[in-house]
Amino acid sequence: MALFLSRYEGRIDRKGRVLVPAPFRAAVADQRFGGVVCYPSPVELAIEGCDLARIELLANSIDSLNPFSAENGAFATTILGKSHQLAFDPEGRVSLPEALVAFAGIAGAMWFVGLGKTFRIWSPERLAAYEREAEKLARNEAGRLALRPQGVAT
Amino acid sequence: MALFLSRYEGRIDRKGRVLVPAPFRAAVADQRFGGVVCYPSPVELAIEGCDLARIELLANSIDSLNPFSAENGAFATTILGKSHQLAFDPEGRVSLPEALVAFAGIAGAMWFVGLGKTFRIWSPERLAAYEREAEKLARNEAGRLALRPQGVAT
DNA sequence: CATTTTTCCCCATGATATCCCATTTCATCC
DNA sequence: GGATGAAATGGGATATCATGGGGAAAAATG
């Protein structure tokens, strides 16, 4: 599965296209699907993205609940139902759906922030505000994070 | 098995046809049957759809219950007995059976919502109402959803 | 078996998204 | 510091998708 690191500035051109940072493209280059999947973050006012394999994993995890349970429907509708499979054009650009751009409050500029298995796309203002809080939290909680060897890789 | 993501608006034309969103058609393009299977959702007032392979999986699951149990008959009658195999016309349209349209309360416009292995077709009003509840539920239960590596792929 | 009705195939048109190429910018190496 | 290659940007051309409707084949009906 892909690994997204570091951060890069992005910009919407006048045709609605956004160049995905080259290192993020390289992270998904060896996959069946040449592109990324984006959806509104369930916890922040930002777009979240990952590779298709992770979304398939999520779909399988949801499906392994009772297929007709209320939780199943709720998760699937709020995440999978708002996901967009975005293919790269030959130059590595995608067109971000209007709904996601509006959700994240993006107008022109944006930041791609790598989070490992996923990444987020933030409006510059919201990222700045978020980071002030995130740094405090990370400093306080850093002692709790355990590195756990992976038995099953994905 | 097919993966259905995102959401798309649909519409019944004056000949009773509905264009299935191109990405949903692509999701089932490599299957034996060029089309989808639709049935009334057992839990919501919406049409539910999937590819033929999933219905076969469901039929097998039901069959592995006691063949003469009450549950067996109930599932089979309410889902399999009300399923319709809908083939695409050359333009990718299907004609939704009147019974399903009436069940979902659809009159003209509708929304196709991807749920991963399946999708739902909602009347706009009912989808809006459902989503208000679904988002609450998803937020409350989000911590419970673990990404689980898949032992058995489908 | 004839007639009516329905279904499905086929084509035309318009809108949209994608591809493709030209140009510019940036980073790296010599 | 100049040269080279990769990456980014912009915009015209093209293919794909959506939509509407005529007409033939199949099915249902009397």
Side-chain angles (χ1 to χ4, degrees), chain A residues 13-15 17 19 25 91 93:
Chain A
D13 71 13
R14 73 178 65 179
K15 287 174 91 171
R17 298 173 299 191
L19 185 71
R25 283 170 6 225
E91 283 75 37
R93 293 170 290 197

Side-chain angles (χ1 to χ4, degrees), chain A residues 18-138:
Chain A
V18 176
L19 185 71
V20 176
F24 284 19
R25 283 170 6 225
V28 300
D30 58 342
Q31 315 247 319
R32 273 171 305 142
F33 170 61
V36 293
V37 178
C38 288
Y39 50 91
S41 166
V43 288
E44 303 294 338
L45 290 175
I47 301 169
E48 219 161 284
C50 62
D51 63 0
L52 184 60
R54 186 179 174 85
I55 287 289
E56 286 173 343
L57 182 62
L58 180 64
N60 287 335
S61 301
I62 289 176
D63 195 56
S64 64
L65 303 171
N66 176 334
F68 298 114
S69 74
E71 290 83 8
N72 183 328
F75 284 135
T77 301
T78 55
I79 299 179
L80 300 179
K82 292 180 180 174
S83 296
H84 297 258
Q85 210 173 327
L86 306 178
F88 299 140
D89 77 2
E91 283 75 37
R93 293 170 290 197
V94 298
S95 46
L96 282 180
E98 179 53 35
L100 293 180
V101 171
F103 173 80
I106 290 169
M110 72 198 75
W111 281 91
F112 289 80
V113 179
L115 302 178
K117 308 271 194 179
T118 65
F119 60 89
R120 287 200 186 131
I121 306 176
W122 287 93
S123 89
E125 300 78 24
R126 288 185 183 169
L127 174 59
Y130 173 76
E131 287 207 285
R132 283 193 292 274
E133 298 307 313
E135 275 175 29
K136 278 186 225 161
L137 186 63

